[in-house]
Amino acid sequence: MLGEEGLPSVMTVRGQKVHDVRYGENPHQAGAFYRIAGTTPYGLGAAEVLQGKELSFNNYLDLETVLAGVREFTAPTAYIVKHTSPCGVASHAVLAQAYSDALECDPLSAFGGIVGFNREVDSDTAQALLDGMDKYGFLECVLAPSFSTEAREKLAVKKNLRLVAVSDLCALDTYDYKRVTGGFIAQQLDLLTDPEELTVVTKAQPTPHQLEELKFAWRVCKTTKSNAIVYAKGTMTVGIGGGLYSRVDANMIAARKAGDRAQGAVLASDAFFPQPDNIDVAHAAGVVAVIQPGGSIKDQEVIEKCDALGIAMVVTGVRHFKH
Amino acid sequence: MLGEEGLPSVMTVRGQKVHDVRYGENPHQAGAFYRIAGTTPYGLGAAEVLQGKELSFNNYLDLETVLAGVREFTAPTAYIVKHTSPCGVASHAVLAQAYSDALECDPLSAFGGIVGFNREVDSDTAQALLDGMDKYGFLECVLAPSFSTEAREKLAVKKNLRLVAVSDLCALDTYDYKRVTGGFIAQQLDLLTDPEELTVVTKAQPTPHQLEELKFAWRVCKTTKSNAIVYAKGTMTVGIGGGLYSRVDANMIAARKAGDRAQGAVLASDAFFPQPDNIDVAHAAGVVAVIQPGGSIKDQEVIEKCDALGIAMVVTGVRHFKH
C-alpha cells in the first residue's frame, strides 16, 4: 500500500480539544479528549453522548476497543470490554440474544464494563442490558450506531449509563501510533480480518461447523490484547484470556472462565504456540479444534501433540498481536 | 500544574521519521519510529543501539515499559518486561543479583523478554544475563544508561541481543497521549511515585520491614498494566499479575507464579478491591500484608476480612491505573 519506502518521513498529529475530562487515567492526572483538527469529525471524534455523564479518559480507551471490536463483524454482534480487552463476544441474528450470550462468557469481568453493538440497539436489547445489570451489576457505556426511541426510553432509568452513538462504525484513521518517550511508533492499521488461506495441518480435520466456529474465534482473537487465547462455541465466546505475559497463562485463564463449556469448544490463539504445553491445557479443558498462525520453531511438536490427542488444527499464516 | 483550564486547546505532535522498522505489530503492517521533530533527542529518541539487529515496533513498545519502569527506582534495579508489563522486578545493592532475583520471579514469561537496568551494566551483570539465557532462553533487548567495556565484550557472543543505551533515563515527555479513532486522549504523566500518606486501616500493623516491602511492591504495581497485583518479598517480586480483566484473576495469576514464595509475602494492588474475595485469595497464598488505594464501596468488608485473617492493610489514597 505504501510501497518500499514505508511510512511518511514526517507525521503530524494535530488535535483540537473537544473537552477536558474529569481526570486522566487516575484522579491525580489532568486529561482531555482531542479531535483530529481540520477533518470532518469521525470515529470517537463524532461520538454523540445521548445519555449519562461525560465520557472519562478510561471510557474513551475502552470505547476504542469496543469500536475496533464490533467493526470486525458483519452479523449482529455484542462485544463487552473490560480494561481494553474483550471479556465476552457473541453474534446472533437476534441482537438481544447476542448480548445475553456475550454476557454469560465472563459476567465477573463484565461488571463495570463497556458494551458495543454493530446494530441499532432495539427495545429487546435494551431490556437485555437492564436484565444483565440487575443480575451482574452496572455498566459504564453502551456504544452502537444508533438507539431506537423505545430503547432510549427503557435505558433512561439508568441515569449514569452513558449511551454513545457512533453512526459510522467503519470510519478509520490512516495510521495507528503509540507514544514512547521522545517520539512515537506508527504503523498501518491491522486490516486483515479473515485469514486468506486456512491450512489444516493435523490428521484430524475440522467439520464445516467447527470451521465456522474457528473463524469466529479468530476474529475475536484479532481484537483481544496479546497474549490472547479465545475459547468459543458456535458464535459465542465461552472463555477469553487477553493481555497476559505468557500464552499458557492466557490459556489457563480462558479455560478457567470456560469451565464445563470448554467441552467440545474451539480455541483461537493470536500468535503461534511456543511450546506444545498449550495443547495439553486446551485438551484437558475439552477443546477439540484450534486455529493459530503457525511459525514456531516447535510447530512440528505442537502438531504431533494435536495428532496424539485427536485435535484438529488450522493454521492461518497471519499473526494478530495487539498491545 | 496546568491550572483549572486543564490541557491546552490545541495539541500537535510532529514526528520526524528516524527509520522504518521491519514491520509493525504484525508482519502485514508497515511501521516506523519517529522522533519528536524540533527537539534535542531524548528518551527512546536518543537511544543508541550498541549491538544487535535494529529495533522492531514491538521492541520499542516494550522498551518504553522498561524505561518507565526503571525510572521509578533509586536503588540498583532490574526490570524484566514481556508484552508491555513487568514479569520480574528486583532491587539489590549488587546489580547482577538484582537481575537474578528479578528473573526468578517468572522465568517462563521472561523468555524472549526485554530487560532494563537503572545502572551501568557491569561485567558481573553481563554474566548474569548470559547465565539466565543459558538457563531460561533468549532475550530481545537490554536497556541501561550505559554498558561497561567488559560487559559489552561478554555480551558480544549473543549477536542478536540488542544492547540499548539511553543515557538519561529520567527525560520525560510533557504529556501522555493515546490514539482513538478520529482523535486522541491526552493526559499529564503519572508522576506520583511514593504515596504521600500511608494509613494503616487494620488491627494488624505492618512491621517496619513489611512497610518497606509494601512500598517496593507499590512501586512495581504503578508501572504494571491494570488490573495489577504484585506479590513481593524484600525488594524482589515473587509473582505479578498484570493486564487482567478482573482483579481476582490478576491475584490468582500472581499467586500461582509465587507458589510457596507467597508465604509471608506482601501484596500491592494498583486500585481498590471491589470485593473481599481478593483477600481470601491472598491469604490462601500466604500473604501477610497488603497495600492498595482504598475507595471501594466495600472497603469496610475488605478491612473486616483482613482483620478476621490477621492481615495488615495499608491504604495510599492514590490509584495507579496504567492501560
Side-chain angles (χ1 to χ4, degrees):
Chain A
M1 177 158 84
L2 283 161
E4 287 180 2
E5 289 166 39
L7 275 67
S9 60
V10 173
M11 191 177 292
T12 304
V13 181
R14 188 173 163 80
Q16 178 69 48
K17 186 163 77 174
V18 178
H19 58 86
D20 283 319
V21 290
R22 206 163 127 235
Y23 52 76
E25 265 184 294
N26 299 293
H28 56 279
Q29 296 165 266
F33 171 67
Y34 293 77
R35 186 186 278 167
I36 300 302
T39 65
T40 306
Y42 65 98
L44 293 182
E48 286 179 85
V49 182
L50 305 175
Q51 168 188 310
K53 289 185 289 187
E54 265 203 344
L55 297 173
S56 73
F57 190 96
N58 293 323
N59 288 162
Y60 274 109
L61 215 50
D62 284 331
L63 284 170
E64 175 62 16
T65 305
V66 153
L67 186 58
V70 294
R71 210 186 262 149
E72 294 292 327
F73 296 88
T74 49
T77 297
Y79 192 98
I80 310 174
V81 160
K82 192 72 176 290
H83 281 263
T84 72
S85 223
C87 60
V89 183
S91 298
H92 194 284
V94 178
L95 194 65
Q97 187 62 45
Y99 179 65
S100 306
D101 288 351
L103 184 58
E104 288 304 324
C105 176
D106 183 0
L108 176 73
S109 299
F111 179 85
I114 307 262
V115 180
F117 295 100
N118 61 352
R119 292 288 191 286
E120 173 167 279
V121 171
D122 56 20
S123 175
D124 288 349
T125 306
Q127 192 57 52
L129 286 162
L130 292 172
D131 293 346
M133 281 188 269
D134 282 346
K135 197 166 172 193
Y136 297 121
F138 81 104
L139 297 170
E140 283 274 331
C141 306
V142 180
L143 178 147
S146 56
F147 295 78
S148 78
T149 309
E150 277 183 312
R152 285 189 62 178
E153 281 168 6
K154 277 193 171 170
L155 292 170
V157 298
K158 296 285 180 187
K159 289 192 182 3
N160 288 331
L161 176 68
R162 298 155 178 97
L163 301 187
V164 182
V166 175
S167 57
D168 179 6
L169 299 177
C170 293
L172 294 173
D173 292 317
T174 313
Y175 297 109
D176 179 32
Y177 53 85
K178 294 172 202 280
R179 182 188 70 87
V180 298
T181 305
F184 55 86
I185 36 178
Q187 62 176 348
Q188 294 175 315
L189 301 177
D190 184 2
L191 297 175
L192 254 185
T193 285
D194 282 321
E196 289 175 35
E197 202 171 350
L198 295 179
T199 312
V200 179
V201 292
T202 46
K203 288 175 195 155
Q205 301 287 312
T207 64
H209 177 68
Q210 284 171 349
L211 212 52
E212 291 309 307
E213 290 181 299
L214 288 166
K215 285 181 190 171
F216 172 80
W218 177 252
R219 215 167 260 218
V220 177
C221 217
K222 180 190 164 183
T223 54
T224 302
K225 280 213 168 177
S226 306
N227 289 318
I229 296 284
V230 173
Y231 282 42
K233 256 183 162 168
T235 52
M236 55 189 284
T237 58
V238 292
I240 307 180
L244 273 288
Y245 299 104
S246 84
R247 198 156 298 278
V248 75
D249 288 341
N251 206 338
M252 286 180 194
I253 286 272
R256 190 166 63 73
K257 299 283 179 189
D260 290 343
R261 298 174 299 173
Q263 290 302 323
V266 305
L267 177 154
S269 170
D270 66 341
F272 64 61
F273 295 116
Q275 301 283 345
D277 56 357
N278 271 289
I279 304 300
D280 285 319
V281 171
H283 178 71
V287 164
V288 295
V290 169
I291 190 166
Q292 57 111 344
S296 165
I297 296 170
K298 298 199 174 171
D299 268 359
Q300 197 48 45
E301 285 180 50
V302 172
I303 294 167
E304 283 164 17
K305 175 66 81 173
C306 286
D307 281 338
L309 298 172
I311 289 176
M313 185 155 70
V314 169
V315 164
T316 65
V318 171
R319 185 181 80 184
H320 283 308
F321 269 180
K322 178 175 176 289
H323 289 89
Chain B
M1 179 158 85
L2 283 160
E4 288 180 0
E5 289 166 39
L7 275 68
S9 60
V10 173
M11 191 179 290
T12 305
V13 181
R14 189 173 161 81
Q16 177 69 49
K17 186 162 77 172
V18 179
H19 58 86
D20 283 319
V21 290
R22 206 163 127 237
Y23 53 76
E25 264 185 295
N26 298 292
H28 56 280
Q29 297 164 265
F33 172 68
Y34 292 77
R35 186 186 279 166
I36 300 302
T39 65
T40 306
Y42 65 97
L44 293 182
E48 286 180 84
V49 181
L50 304 175
Q51 168 189 309
K53 290 185 287 188
E54 264 202 345
L55 296 173
S56 73
F57 189 96
N58 293 323
N59 288 162
Y60 274 108
L61 216 49
D62 283 331
L63 284 170
E64 175 62 17
T65 305
V66 153
L67 186 57
V70 295
R71 212 186 260 149
E72 295 292 327
F73 297 88
T74 47
T77 297
Y79 192 98
I80 311 175
V81 161
K82 192 72 175 290
H83 281 265
T84 72
S85 223
C87 60
V89 183
S91 298
H92 194 284
V94 178
L95 195 65
Q97 188 61 46
Y99 180 65
S100 306
D101 288 350
L103 184 58
E104 290 303 326
C105 175
D106 183 2
L108 175 73
S109 299
F111 179 85
I114 307 264
V115 181
F117 296 100
N118 60 353
R119 291 289 192 286
E120 174 167 279
V121 171
D122 56 20
S123 177
D124 287 349
T125 306
Q127 192 57 50
L129 285 162
L130 292 172
D131 293 346
M133 283 188 268
D134 282 347
K135 198 167 170 192
Y136 296 121
F138 80 104
L139 297 170
E140 283 274 331
C141 306
V142 180
L143 177 147
S146 56
F147 295 78
S148 77
T149 309
E150 278 183 311
R152 286 190 59 178
E153 281 168 4
K154 277 193 172 170
L155 292 169
V157 298
K158 297 285 181 187
K159 287 193 184 5
N160 288 331
L161 176 67
R162 297 156 179 98
L163 301 186
V164 181
V166 175
S167 57
D168 179 6
L169 299 177
C170 293
L172 294 174
D173 291 317
T174 312
Y175 297 108
D176 180 33
Y177 53 85
K178 295 173 202 279
R179 183 188 71 85
V180 298
T181 304
F184 56 85
I185 36 177
Q187 62 175 348
Q188 293 175 316
L189 301 177
D190 183 2
L191 297 175
L192 254 185
T193 285
D194 281 321
E196 288 176 35
E197 202 171 350
L198 296 178
T199 312
V200 180
V201 292
T202 46
K203 289 175 195 156
Q205 301 287 312
T207 66
H209 178 68
Q210 284 170 350
L211 212 53
E212 291 309 306
E213 290 180 301
L214 288 166
K215 286 181 190 172
F216 171 79
W218 178 253
R219 216 167 259 219
V220 177
C221 216
K222 180 189 163 182
T223 55
T224 301
K225 281 211 172 180
S226 306
N227 289 319
I229 296 283
V230 173
Y231 282 43
K233 256 183 162 167
T235 53
M236 55 190 283
T237 58
V238 293
I240 307 180
L244 273 288
Y245 300 104
S246 85
R247 199 156 298 276
V248 74
D249 289 341
N251 205 339
M252 286 179 194
I253 287 273
R256 191 167 62 74
K257 298 283 179 188
D260 291 341
R261 297 174 299 172
Q263 289 302 323
V266 305
L267 177 154
S269 171
D270 66 343
F272 64 62
F273 295 116
Q275 300 284 346
D277 56 356
N278 271 288
I279 304 300
D280 286 319
V281 171
H283 178 71
V287 164
V288 294
V290 169
I291 190 167
Q292 58 111 344
S296 166
I297 297 172
K298 299 197 175 173
D299 268 0
Q300 196 49 44
E301 284 180 50
V302 172
I303 293 167
E304 282 164 16
K305 176 67 83 173
C306 284
D307 280 339
L309 298 171
I311 289 176
M313 186 155 70
V314 170
V315 164
T316 65
V318 171
R319 186 181 80 184
H320 283 308
F321 269 0
K322 178 176 176 287
H323 290 92

